[in-house]
Amino acid sequence: MDTVVETQGLYKYFYNKKGHTVIKACDDISLSIPKGKTLGLVGESGCGKTTVGRILLRLIEPDSGTVFFNGHNLTEMNEKHIRPLRKNFQMIFQDSSSSFNPRMRAYDALKESVQLYSDLRAKELRDEIYHLMSRVNLHKEMLSHFLGSLSGGELKRLDIARVLSIHPAFIIADEPLSLLDMSIQSQIVNLLLEVQKEENTSLLFISHDLRIVRMLSHTVAVMYRGKIVELAPKSVITENPLHPYTKHLWNPKISDFYVQFFESGCVYKNSCRVLHRKGFPLICSEKQPELLEYEKGHYAACHFAQE
Ligand SMILES: Nc1ncnc2c1ncn2[C@@H]1O[C@H](COP(=O)(O)OP(=O)(O)OP(=O)(O)O)[C@@H](O)[C@H]1O
Ligand SMILES: [Mg+2]
């Protein structure tokens, strides 16, 4: 299978002003996404999902590690050489307002992105913009509105239209369903599936909700505090999750305790039911488990993954 996007050993730590507290937003992340497939990236708020997405597009620099896009090593290229490739990878931003100028009208925003890579004449351009609006279920009257006056859900859909207008080979969809009503959520899921089928698009679908991720993904990566703790084909992770955190995401009511231990050891130990059940084994507080392959394509990072 052709790999479109691949990362190896990505690290990104953030420090506070005094350089003391460290947030490990990416802590040795390796992922790959084949052509025409979706990788779902799921994990709680603050675990580093958006940071991974931003590094993949070289919107921020990793501390170390590599990102390949269609064989190009983006981490070794400067912006001048990356720019011509940017058409091929686009992000639906979690905070859509960050990708738009509030004083621009919706029509001009879409026109600008459609015209970036095509030279349609006036009528075709207008038809294309109307078509994009209908795909994301926005009324074309909204095109005359200023972006600053649109609601969060409307801006989100406009951002999705902006990305689709560019026909990228790879889309990062960062919480694309947040702020949308249930009925519109399913339309957007269907739209992404349709675009993927028509254009063989590769997708990184980011969400904190495993059940939503499951709808679109071929493979699911579960992230916790900067680490991938489980990675498997969707059907496998649904039927046979190995990591306690993945199990918790499927059934969040069972364990919502939080115990503050020390920093070393497994990233998940403070919330782990297995650790409690097994009477706090030392290994969990001493050693971060490696991401090991338990069956073909099914990886987990837990000392007790098989129990
Ligand atoms: N520029 C930055 N400076 C300092 N800390 C940052 C910066 N960007 C992100 N972080 C921190 O890194 C961690 C990961 O952030 P990130 O936005 O990637 O999380 P996320 O998984 O996308 O969360 P959410 O689900 O809430 O969107 C968070 O603790 C965040 O506060
Ligand atoms: Mg985020």
Side-chain angles (χ1 to χ4, degrees):
M1 232 181 307
D2 295 346
T3 298
V4 171
V5 184
E6 188 169 6
T7 73
Q8 283 159 5
L10 288 184
Y11 286 85
K12 181 74 185 176
Y13 290 0
F14 293 110
Y15 301 90
N16 72 359
K17 282 198 186 102
K18 290 179 184 153
H20 292 148
T21 323
V22 58
I23 295 171
K24 298 179 178 179
C26 285
D27 197 12
D28 194 12
I29 299 285
S30 300
L31 295 169
S32 74
I33 310 174
K35 191 162 184 54
K37 301 288 182 201
T38 301
L39 175 71
L41 183 60
V42 65
E44 67 179 9
S45 180
C47 72
K49 305 177 296 296
T50 297
T51 305
V52 172
R54 289 181 164 271
I55 292 175
L56 287 185
L57 298 197
R58 269 291 294 272
L59 298 175
I60 52 174
E61 296 290 318
D63 300 337
S64 60
T66 46
V67 176
F68 285 92
F69 176 77
N70 274 340
H72 300 277
N73 184 344
L74 295 188
T75 24
E76 277 184 353
M77 295 165 74
N78 59 29
E79 183 55 33
K80 185 173 151 227
H81 291 107
I82 294 178
R83 198 165 300 136
L85 297 176
R86 286 210 177 271
K87 168 192 184 334
N88 300 303
F89 42 86
Q90 290 289 322
M91 187 153 177
I92 298 165
F93 287 95
Q94 182 170 13
D95 173 13
S96 317
S97 58
S98 67
S99 52
F100 289 119
N101 173 354
R103 286 199 289 269
M104 210 174 197
R105 288 182 200 273
Y107 187 88
D108 296 321
L110 281 186
K111 181 174 142 194
E112 197 175 85
S113 60
V114 173
Q115 283 185 324
L116 265 182
Y117 304 104
S118 69
D119 50 359
L120 298 179
R121 274 175 294 171
K123 180 176 178 322
E124 293 167 322
L125 178 69
R126 204 180 55 229
D127 289 348
E128 172 67 9
I129 289 174
Y130 288 171
H131 176 61
L132 286 164
M133 291 292 277
S134 79
R135 286 193 104 176
V136 295
N137 202 0
L138 286 176
H139 204 279
K140 62 184 181 194
E141 276 170 12
M142 200 165 277
L143 286 166
S144 62
H145 295 191
F146 285 107
L147 297 175
S149 71
L150 300 188
S151 75
E154 288 162 352
L155 260 190
K156 191 91 187 188
R157 281 178 279 164
L158 201 72
D159 199 27
I160 295 170
R162 174 190 66 80
V163 166
L164 298 187
S165 76
I166 299 170
H167 303 281
F170 173 47
I171 296 176
I172 298 181
D174 192 356
E175 301 276 6
L177 307 184
S178 65
L179 304 171
L180 302 181
D181 297 336
M182 282 297 270
S183 61
I184 297 183
Q185 285 188 5
S186 58
Q187 279 177 28
I188 296 296
V189 168
N190 288 331
L191 176 61
L192 290 172
L193 288 171
E194 192 182 299
V195 167
Q196 178 167 61
K197 199 163 158 203
E198 283 167 6
E199 304 184 11
N200 216 10
T201 317
S202 304
L203 270 167
L204 177 66
F205 185 83
I206 297 177
S207 173
H208 60 276
D209 188 334
L210 183 54
R211 279 161 285 201
I212 289 181
V213 163
R214 187 173 64 160
M215 291 195 278
L216 276 130
S217 307
H218 299 93
T219 304
V220 176
V222 180
M223 197 170 172
Y224 193 84
R225 294 212 188 165
K227 285 206 169 285
I228 303 290
V229 295
E230 187 156 5
L231 174 74
K234 184 240 315 257
S235 56
V236 174
I237 211 158
T238 307
E239 282 154 30
N240 184 28
L242 292 177
H243 198 281
Y245 180 52
T246 317
K247 294 177 188 172
H248 166 70
L249 289 177
W250 282 127
N251 195 354
K253 278 183 231 85
I254 293 177
S255 86
D256 32 30
F257 56 83
Y258 185 88
V259 187
Q260 187 65 51
F261 291 125
F262 23 92
E263 267 306 300
S264 63
C266 174
V267 286
Y268 189 57
K269 64 181 180 304
N270 292 346
S271 308
C272 182
R273 309 181 231 169
V274 172
L275 179 109
H276 273 237
R277 202 179 66 226
K278 296 194 76 70
F280 303 92
L282 263 186
I283 188 163
C284 301
S285 50
E286 285 177 346
K287 190 167 178 280
Q288 166 62 32
E290 278 177 60
L291 190 62
L292 297 178
E293 191 171 23
Y294 286 88
E295 56 187 320
K296 194 167 167 22
H298 189 179
Y299 298 80
C302 172
H303 295 300
F304 300 97
Q306 282 178 310
E307 294 185 27

Coordinates of all heavy atoms in Angstrom, one line a residue, residues 56-88:
L56 N 2.9 17.8 11.4 CA 2.8 17.1 10.1 C 2.8 18.2 9.0 O 3.3 17.9 7.9 CB 1.5 16.3 10.1 CG 1.5 15.0 10.9 CD1 0.3 14.2 10.6 CD2 2.7 14.2 10.5
L57 N 2.1 19.3 9.2 CA 2.0 20.3 8.2 C 3.2 21.3 8.3 O 3.2 22.3 7.6 CB 0.7 21.1 8.2 CG -0.6 20.3 8.1 CD1 -1.7 21.2 7.8 CD2 -0.4 19.3 6.9
R58 N 4.1 21.1 9.2 CA 5.2 22.0 9.4 C 4.7 23.4 9.7 O 5.3 24.4 9.3 CB 6.1 22.1 8.2 CG 7.3 21.1 8.2 CD 8.4 21.4 9.2 NE 9.2 22.6 9.0 CZ 10.3 22.7 8.3 NH1 10.7 21.6 7.7 NH2 10.9 23.8 8.2
L59 N 3.6 23.4 10.5 CA 3.2 24.7 11.0 C 3.9 25.0 12.3 O 4.0 26.2 12.7 CB 1.6 24.7 11.3 CG 0.8 24.5 10.1 CD1 -0.7 24.4 10.4 CD2 1.0 25.6 9.1
I60 N 4.4 24.0 13.0 CA 5.3 24.1 14.1 C 6.5 23.1 13.9 O 6.3 22.1 13.2 CB 4.7 24.0 15.5 CG1 4.0 22.7 15.6 CG2 3.9 25.2 15.9 CD1 3.5 22.4 17.0
E61 N 7.6 23.4 14.5 CA 8.8 22.6 14.3 C 8.8 21.5 15.4 O 8.6 21.9 16.6 CB 10.1 23.4 14.5 CG 10.3 24.4 13.4 CD 10.6 23.8 12.1 OE1 11.4 22.9 12.1 OE2 10.1 24.3 11.1
P62 N 9.1 20.3 15.1 CA 9.3 19.3 16.2 C 10.7 19.5 16.8 O 11.6 20.2 16.2 CB 9.3 18.0 15.5 CG 9.7 18.3 14.1 CD 9.3 19.7 13.8
D63 N 10.9 19.1 18.0 CA 12.2 19.1 18.6 C 13.1 18.1 17.9 O 14.3 18.4 17.6 CB 12.2 18.7 20.1 CG 11.3 19.7 20.9 OD1 11.1 20.8 20.5 OD2 10.8 19.3 22.0
S64 N 12.6 17.0 17.5 CA 13.3 16.0 16.7 C 12.3 15.1 16.0 O 11.1 15.1 16.4 CB 14.3 15.3 17.5 OG 13.7 14.6 18.5
G65 N 12.8 14.3 15.1 CA 11.9 13.4 14.4 C 11.7 13.8 13.0 O 12.1 14.9 12.6
T66 N 11.1 12.9 12.2 CA 11.0 13.3 10.7 C 9.5 13.1 10.3 O 8.8 12.3 10.8 CB 11.8 12.3 9.8 OG1 11.6 11.0 10.3 CG2 13.3 12.7 9.9
V67 N 9.2 13.9 9.3 CA 7.9 13.8 8.6 C 8.1 13.7 7.1 O 8.8 14.5 6.5 CB 7.0 15.1 8.9 CG1 5.7 15.0 8.1 CG2 6.8 15.3 10.3
F68 N 7.6 12.6 6.6 CA 7.6 12.4 5.1 C 6.3 12.6 4.5 O 5.3 12.1 5.0 CB 8.1 11.0 4.8 CG 9.6 10.7 5.0 CD1 10.0 10.3 6.3 CD2 10.5 11.0 4.1 CE1 11.4 10.1 6.5 CE2 11.8 10.8 4.3 CZ 12.3 10.4 5.5
F69 N 6.2 13.3 3.4 CA 5.0 13.4 2.7 C 5.3 13.0 1.2 O 6.1 13.6 0.6 CB 4.4 14.9 2.7 CG 3.2 15.0 1.9 CD1 2.0 14.6 2.3 CD2 3.3 15.6 0.6 CE1 0.9 14.6 1.5 CE2 2.2 15.7 -0.2 CZ 0.9 15.2 0.2
N70 N 4.6 11.9 0.8 CA 4.9 11.4 -0.5 C 6.4 11.3 -0.8 O 6.9 11.7 -1.9 CB 4.3 12.2 -1.6 CG 2.8 11.8 -1.9 OD1 2.4 10.7 -1.5 ND2 2.0 12.7 -2.5
G71 N 7.1 10.8 0.2 CA 8.6 10.6 0.0 C 9.4 11.8 0.2 O 10.6 11.7 0.3
H72 N 8.8 13.0 0.3 CA 9.6 14.2 0.6 C 9.8 14.3 2.2 O 8.8 14.3 2.9 CB 8.9 15.5 0.2 CG 8.6 15.6 -1.3 ND1 9.5 16.0 -2.2 CD2 7.5 15.3 -2.0 CE1 9.0 16.0 -3.4 NE2 7.8 15.5 -3.3
N73 N 11.0 14.6 2.6 CA 11.3 14.8 4.0 C 11.0 16.2 4.3 O 11.9 17.1 4.2 CB 12.7 14.4 4.3 CG 13.0 14.5 5.8 OD1 12.3 15.1 6.5 ND2 14.1 13.8 6.2
L74 N 9.8 16.5 4.8 CA 9.4 17.9 5.1 C 10.3 18.5 6.2 O 10.5 19.7 6.2 CB 8.0 18.0 5.5 CG 6.9 17.6 4.6 CD1 5.5 18.0 5.1 CD2 7.1 18.3 3.2
T75 N 10.7 17.7 7.1 CA 11.5 18.3 8.2 C 12.9 18.8 7.8 O 13.5 19.5 8.5 CB 11.7 17.2 9.3 OG1 11.5 15.9 8.8 CG2 10.6 17.4 10.4
E76 N 13.3 18.4 6.6 CA 14.6 18.9 6.1 C 14.5 20.0 5.1 O 15.4 20.5 4.6 CB 15.4 17.7 5.4 CG 16.1 16.9 6.4 CD 16.9 15.8 5.8 OE1 16.8 15.6 4.5 OE2 17.7 15.1 6.5
M77 N 13.2 20.3 4.7 CA 13.0 21.3 3.7 C 12.7 22.7 4.3 O 12.1 22.8 5.3 CB 11.8 20.9 2.8 CG 12.1 19.6 2.0 SD 10.6 18.9 1.3 CE 10.3 20.1 0.0
N78 N 13.1 23.8 3.6 CA 12.7 25.1 4.1 C 11.4 25.5 3.4 O 10.9 24.8 2.5 CB 13.8 26.1 3.8 CG 14.1 26.3 2.4 OD1 13.3 26.0 1.5 ND2 15.4 26.6 2.1
E79 N 10.8 26.5 4.0 CA 9.4 26.9 3.6 C 9.3 27.2 2.1 O 8.3 26.8 1.5 CB 9.0 28.1 4.4 CG 7.5 28.6 4.2 CD 6.5 27.5 4.4 OE1 6.6 26.6 5.2 OE2 5.5 27.5 3.6
K80 N 10.4 27.7 1.5 CA 10.3 28.0 0.1 C 10.1 26.7 -0.7 O 9.3 26.7 -1.7 CB 11.7 28.7 -0.3 CG 11.7 29.1 -1.7 CD 13.0 29.9 -2.0 CE 13.4 29.7 -3.4 NZ 14.8 29.4 -3.6
H81 N 10.7 25.6 -0.3 CA 10.5 24.4 -1.0 C 9.2 23.7 -0.6 O 8.7 22.9 -1.4 CB 11.8 23.5 -0.8 CG 13.0 24.0 -1.5 ND1 14.0 24.6 -0.8 CD2 13.3 24.2 -2.8 CE1 14.9 25.1 -1.6 NE2 14.5 24.8 -2.9
I82 N 8.8 23.9 0.6 CA 7.5 23.3 1.0 C 6.3 23.9 0.3 O 5.3 23.2 0.0 CB 7.4 23.3 2.6 CG1 8.5 22.5 3.2 CG2 6.0 22.8 3.0 CD1 8.5 22.6 4.7
R83 N 6.4 25.2 0.1 CA 5.2 26.0 -0.4 C 4.5 25.3 -1.6 O 3.3 25.2 -1.5 CB 5.6 27.4 -0.6 CG 4.3 28.3 -0.7 CD 4.6 29.8 -0.6 NE 5.3 30.1 0.6 CZ 6.4 30.9 0.7 NH1 6.9 31.5 -0.4 NH2 7.0 31.2 1.8
P84 N 5.3 24.9 -2.6 CA 4.6 24.3 -3.7 C 3.9 23.0 -3.4 O 2.9 22.6 -4.1 CB 5.7 24.1 -4.8 CG 6.9 24.7 -4.2 CD 6.7 25.1 -2.8
L85 N 4.3 22.4 -2.3 CA 3.6 21.1 -1.9 C 2.4 21.4 -1.0 O 1.6 20.5 -0.9 CB 4.6 20.3 -1.0 CG 5.9 19.8 -1.7 CD1 6.8 19.1 -0.6 CD2 5.6 18.8 -2.8
R86 N 2.3 22.6 -0.5 CA 1.2 22.8 0.5 C -0.2 22.6 -0.1 O -1.1 22.3 0.7 CB 1.3 24.3 1.0 CG 2.4 24.4 2.0 CD 2.2 25.5 3.1 NE 3.3 25.5 4.0 CZ 3.3 24.8 5.1 NH1 2.4 23.9 5.4 NH2 4.4 24.8 5.9
K87 N -0.4 22.7 -1.4 CA -1.7 22.4 -2.0 C -2.1 21.0 -1.6 O -3.3 20.7 -1.5 CB -1.6 22.5 -3.5 CG -2.7 21.9 -4.3 CD -2.4 21.8 -5.7 CE -3.6 21.3 -6.5 NZ -4.6 20.5 -5.9
N88 N -1.1 20.1 -1.4 CA -1.4 18.7 -1.3 C -1.8 18.3 0.2 O -2.3 17.3 0.4 CB -0.2 17.8 -1.7 CG 0.1 18.1 -3.1 OD1 -0.7 17.9 -4.0 ND2 1.3 18.5 -3.4

